[in-house]
Amino acid sequence: MDKIVMMSSLFQVTTDYLLKDKQEEQTEKVVYYREVRPWHFEKKSRHTLFGLPIYHICFQGMRESGGRFRMKMAPAKGILAVGVRATGVVSIGVFARGLVAIGAAAMGMISIGAASLGILALGAFAAGIIAGGNLSVGIVAFGNLAVGMYAIGNCAVANKIALGNYAHGHIAIGNTVSGMKEILLKDANFTDMDPEAVRSMILQEFPKTWPMIQKLFTMW
């Protein structure tokens, strides 16, 4: 065995090569390394209001050698907040919360985003007192699918008044209607609506309906 080890060293081969008829194939292990560099951008106002900076802009992430970039959930907090996760009076970010919130997911008194929640909510998916979007849920709802106390949309479902191509509600106004009181319209744009007849029906069924709501359903 000592001589085999010496021969292995002399000829620079493995002992298996000397002892076996066939040489085993050796797979070379390749290790790939990726360079990852942190990336950070932040601007913050020196002046504050109610303990918050006037503005705070914050973005953080990791940049890889191949050009791929990954964002981190770095928070931005200020009167005006801009970042991936923004919280402020006015907030703009992927996730935004504030009095006015704009983002992919937004929550605030006035919110605009792909998914939004607020008193006034606008987005693909919106929920609020007044909601507008492809799918909207609210007291007053506008959208392709609108559900609320008052609803206007392609498909409108309402507790009180619904206006749409398909309308279902106590008062249903549209091309296809289902309700206690129905007004059937032939035109898809509701141009054949009789505003006075609609207003009269609304006041007959719901005498305390706000003038703004009456106007909303008779403006077509």
Side-chain angles (χ1 to χ4, degrees):
M1 290 302 298
D2 291 341
K3 290 179 180 180
I4 291 173
V5 173
M6 291 174 63
M7 290 174 65
S8 171
S9 176
L10 176 65
F11 294 108
Q12 296 183 352
V13 295
T14 64
T15 55
D16 286 345
Y17 181 82
L18 296 173
L19 296 171
K20 296 181 180 180
D21 293 337
K22 295 182 179 180
Q23 181 182 9
E24 293 182 356
E25 293 184 1
Q26 296 182 351
T27 57
E28 183 181 358
K29 293 183 179 180
V30 181
V31 180
Y32 294 94
Y33 294 95
R34 289 184 299 180
E35 182 184 0
V36 179
R37 292 175 293 173
W39 183 84
H40 180 82
F41 175 84
E42 186 172 11
K43 293 286 184 181
K44 184 183 292 188
S45 170
R46 295 180 180 178
H47 302 288
T48 62
L49 185 63
F50 306 116
L52 292 172
I54 301 299
Y55 65 86
H56 186 194
I57 304 171
C58 183
F59 291 97
Q60 293 182 20
M62 306 294 288
R63 190 187 299 276
E64 297 178 354
S65 55
R68 186 179 175 184
F69 185 76
R70 292 179 295 162
M71 296 293 292
K72 295 178 67 176
M73 297 292 291
K77 294 183 180 181
I79 302 300
L80 170 63
V82 180
V84 175
R85 192 175 65 190
T87 304
V89 177
V90 178
S91 59
I92 303 171
V94 178
F95 302 97
R97 293 185 303 171
L99 189 65
V100 178
I102 302 171
M107 182 171 64
M109 291 187 67
I110 300 174
S111 60
I112 302 171
S116 61
L117 174 66
I119 293 177
L120 171 61
L122 303 174
F125 303 96
I129 293 177
I130 301 175
N134 288 328
L135 172 58
S136 59
V137 179
I139 293 177
V140 180
F142 306 86
N144 288 326
L145 174 57
V147 180
M149 185 174 291
Y150 306 97
I152 299 175
N154 287 329
C155 180
V157 179
N159 177 259
K160 289 188 175 181
I161 309 171
L163 171 64
N165 294 322
Y166 171 79
H168 176 83
H170 184 93
I171 297 177
I173 309 162
N175 307 127
T176 302
V177 294
S178 174
M180 297 292 292
K181 298 289 184 178
E182 300 175 349
I183 297 179
L184 184 63
L185 304 175
K186 295 182 179 180
D187 185 64
N189 296 318
F190 316 134
T191 56
D192 55 339
M193 177 190 290
D194 183 348
E196 288 304 319
V198 173
R199 183 178 290 105
S200 176
M201 182 178 289
I202 291 173
L203 292 176
Q204 181 181 355
E205 295 298 310
F206 306 109
K208 296 182 180 180
T209 302
W210 291 355
M212 180 183 70
I213 300 296
Q214 298 177 40
K215 181 67 176 177
L216 186 65
F217 284 90
T218 56
M219 62 186 291
W220 309 91

